[in-house]
Amino acid sequence: MSAKQEILKPTPVEDFRDRLASADQQGRRRWIFPRKVSGRFFRMRTWVSWLLLAVMFSGPFISIAGEPLLMMNIIDRKFVILGQVFWPQDGIILAVGLLVFFMGIAVFTAVYGRLWCGWLCPQTVLMEMVFRKIEYAIEGDAHQQRALAAAPWSLEKVLKKGGKQAVFFALSFLIGNTLLAYIIGREQLFRVVADNPAHHVTGLAFMLLFTAVFYLIFARFREQACTFICPYGRFQSALLDENSIVVAYDYRRGEPRGPMRGGLEAAESAARGDCVACNQCVAVCPTGIDIRNGTQMECVHCTACIDACNAVMEKVQRPAGLIRYASLNGIERGERLRMTPRLVIYSIVILLLIGLETFLIFTRSDLQTTLLRAPGALFQQTSDGHYSNLYTVKVVNKTGREIPVTFKLENVEGGMRIMGAPNFSVPARRLAETSVLIELDPSVLRPGSTPLVVGVYADGERVETLKTSFIGPRTKAK
Ligand code: SF4
Ligand code: SF4
């Protein structure tokens, strides 16, 4: 039996920290064939994943007031969260939002361990609830998969392996397109799909790139995406403490482990702990670890070992929960979850950040204007003796209606003229740009540069006040 087809046995307790469960001592990949799992947690995770998959795949196609549920359009620098459009000008809101997100992860991990990884992470949901189930449907349970991998090539093997890879590729294509829709928006995605391919070479290239990346992740890397690539798995060990809730083996109850025996060995069996050393918890683990060795970085908290062990406990008529959600202190001393000083500090910081984010969102203006002197343009003197400067104005309309915008000089007398059109309107949820000429009488100019205050008016009301400067002659203009 080759290393790849080797049945995954528990890593010996004395060297489990020295090597990965999914690699041999030479560092070669040991392919993991996790056994099918069933049980209470698996049923709950199935329901949660159906909900998440529905949201994940429909996100770019569900509209709220004409905008998608979620869009991260990096190219146009337009971000939509729950139908609310955010622009680069809202960078502070997005930055605080990201801080809340990362602090949230820190607090969440400190209390609930890697609940995110097991229940909500798209990698786990897609791998365990979609790709793995397809694999079981085509190739059968773990022992059948191992037998198929070890068997010589035959028509059956070609059909099963080829069919599985074809389905994996088609699904990866679907996931890649969904990700693209999150980035460029559904309308642009439809154009990339339906238009002449020559007009959308970049879009098609990204479509193929995303498809290839997802195919490699789900067909090849699998658990290695969590154990080697994902940074969260790495830093979660720094966030957990002895009060964090993790998937844990109750060693006080389970040890000394050993098989149950009747007859003459019954007395010896009775002296043992509840773990009957059946290795079912290892057989179902998608990362191939033995949770009885303690909390490990590779554990994605998928709960498969809880279900597997509970089924064994039921058969041997011992209480469920030998492997369960618990904290180290809970297992060692029977302590309940408590707020540690670190948790209190994290929680205060996250509450402050949430407060700041709420304030920023509720005080966000409908319009956001930038006024800059046109690059490279010098001041001009007109035939009537006035001086003029040309400016570029960009206005972002964050509302769902078109807004006519006018400008007015607030601190000096002078003319302000929108170039090219008598009126300037900004379409709903769009950025509009125009040029504005400001003309000042020499009597109001200061030598070199004159500070200006410009009012931005929408529906007759001043909605913004901008500051800029007007460049004129260095000596007092006449
Ligand atoms: S499934 Fe439970 S009883 Fe079996 S080896 Fe794992 S911990 Fe022990
Ligand atoms: S140890 Fe248990 S919870 Fe952790 S990854 Fe393996 S099966 Fe999932």
Side-chain angles (χ1 to χ4, degrees):
M1 189 176 281
S2 73
K4 189 176 168 185
Q5 293 142 17
E6 184 188 342
I7 295 173
L8 203 67
K9 296 188 179 72
T11 310
V13 71
E14 61 276 8
D15 70 347
F16 83 95
R17 288 196 193 282
D18 297 336
R19 60 188 171 94
L20 285 169
S22 56
D24 66 15
Q25 274 173 320
Q26 281 71 46
R28 284 189 303 253
R29 178 97 179 256
R30 292 168 81 200
W31 196 262
I32 295 174
F33 297 96
R35 200 173 56 71
K36 258 188 206 173
V37 67
S38 59
R40 188 164 66 97
F41 283 101
F42 183 74
R43 280 195 298 279
M44 287 194 289
R45 280 177 61 223
T46 301
W47 283 109
V48 172
S49 34
W50 282 123
L51 182 69
L52 289 176
L53 288 168
V55 173
M56 205 187 295
F57 284 107
S58 60
F61 307 100
I62 293 176
S63 289
I64 299 177
E67 293 294 342
L69 195 67
L70 186 66
M71 187 172 84
M72 299 285 147
N73 191 335
I74 300 157
I75 300 149
D76 290 343
R77 295 182 294 162
K78 178 184 171 188
F79 306 92
V80 185
I81 300 166
L82 297 175
Q84 287 289 313
V85 183
F86 295 91
W87 299 88
Q89 290 84 349
D90 294 314
I92 183 77
I93 296 181
L94 290 171
V96 175
L98 279 176
L99 270 176
V100 170
F101 178 72
F102 286 117
M103 283 303 297
I105 285 182
V107 175
F108 194 77
T109 308
V111 182
Y112 297 106
R114 291 175 72 177
L115 210 61
W116 159 267
C117 297
W119 291 75
L120 305 171
C121 174
Q123 157 72 17
T124 314
V125 168
L126 285 163
M127 184 67 239
E128 301 307 322
M129 293 296 165
V130 180
F131 285 85
R132 190 85 70 195
K133 286 182 176 177
I134 291 168
E135 195 162 64
Y136 288 139
I138 296 175
E139 293 188 357
D141 205 346
H143 64 285
Q144 292 160 306
Q145 289 177 26
R146 270 194 296 270
L148 188 69
W153 282 100
S154 62
L155 182 63
E156 186 199 357
K157 184 165 172 171
V158 169
L159 286 177
K160 282 189 172 173
K161 292 271 179 202
K164 182 182 85 172
Q165 298 303 334
V167 177
F168 278 10
F169 191 82
L171 260 176
S172 303
F173 182 72
L174 182 68
I175 299 166
N177 276 267
T178 309
L179 177 61
L180 202 56
Y182 274 114
I183 295 172
I184 60 174
R186 57 180 179 240
E187 291 89 3
Q188 186 61 16
L189 176 70
F190 290 145
R191 275 195 284 276
V192 171
V193 173
D195 275 8
N196 183 343
H199 299 157
H200 300 284
V201 175
T202 314
L204 287 168
F206 272 99
M207 192 182 274
L208 290 178
L209 178 72
F210 290 161
T211 304
V213 168
F214 284 118
Y215 175 73
L216 281 175
I217 285 177
F218 294 114
R220 295 302 305 167
F221 294 143
R222 313 192 130 200
E223 79 285 348
Q224 295 194 335
C226 303
T227 54
F228 290 166
I229 301 170
C230 178
Y232 180 52
R234 293 275 181 278
F235 70 71
Q236 57 95 23
S237 43
L239 298 170
L240 297 179
D241 64 17
E242 58 277 14
N243 289 302
S244 306
I245 295 179
V246 291
V247 172
Y249 165 68
D250 187 344
Y251 66 92
R252 288 166 63 91
R253 201 187 120 188
E255 302 296 320
R257 69 185 80 158
M260 276 188 94
R261 295 215 168 90
L264 289 174
E265 289 167 319
E268 190 195 331
S269 283
R272 291 201 181 115
D274 280 354
C275 174
V276 294
C278 63
N279 288 336
Q280 289 306 306
C281 48
V282 183
V284 295
C285 179
T287 62
I289 59 167
D290 185 346
I291 193 66
R292 291 171 300 171
N293 291 333
T295 301
Q296 291 150 74
M297 186 205 73
E298 296 96 319
C299 176
V300 292
H301 284 39
C302 71
T303 69
C305 54
I306 301 182
D307 278 330
C309 190
N310 282 347
V312 174
M313 290 298 106
E314 195 181 339
K315 277 189 199 136
V316 298
Q317 296 177 341
R318 288 183 182 164
L322 180 57
I323 301 175
R324 62 181 185 271
Y325 277 119
S327 68
L328 189 63
N329 276 342
I331 287 192
E332 270 181 2
R333 302 186 214 131
E335 275 181 17
R336 305 189 69 150
L337 176 70
R338 63 188 174 86
M339 291 289 273
T340 59
R342 184 173 71 145
L343 214 51
V344 173
I345 293 169
Y346 280 179
S347 304
I348 290 172
V349 172
I350 198 172
L351 282 175
L352 288 174
L353 286 171
I354 289 173
L356 176 62
E357 182 75 342
T358 313
F359 172 78
L360 290 171
I361 288 175
F362 279 99
T363 54
R364 194 170 78 126
S365 61
D366 288 349
L367 291 180
Q368 188 133 11
T369 312
T370 49
L371 174 77
L372 294 171
R373 242 191 350 271
L378 299 171
F379 65 87
Q380 303 280 325
Q381 190 167 22
T382 57
S383 54
D384 59 1
H386 285 87
Y387 285 88
S388 68
N389 276 192
L390 187 65
Y391 295 80
T392 302
V393 179
K394 288 182 185 174
V395 186
V396 174
N397 178 359
K398 299 169 191 170
T399 71
R401 64 188 176 88
E402 182 166 328
I403 300 181
V405 177
T406 54
F407 305 97
K408 191 177 154 207
L409 285 172
E410 302 285 356
N411 63 332
V412 288
E413 286 293 321
M416 206 165 171
R417 188 153 44 91
I418 294 167
M419 305 295 283
N423 300 311
F424 176 55
S425 268
V426 190
R429 297 188 196 88
R430 290 283 174 273
L431 180 149
E433 187 173 332
T434 188
S435 295
V436 169
L437 193 75
I438 297 182
E439 283 184 2
L440 295 183
D441 189 88
S443 62
V444 300
L445 289 184
R446 293 185 190 174
S449 172
T450 306
L452 291 183
V453 178
V454 176
V456 181
Y457 288 79
D459 303 323
E461 262 184 51
R462 188 166 68 188
V463 288
E464 275 184 281
T465 306
L466 308 171
K467 286 187 178 162
T468 185
S469 58
F470 186 97
I471 300 299
R474 286 187 187 278
T475 51
K476 180 73 183 154
K478 297 183 180 128

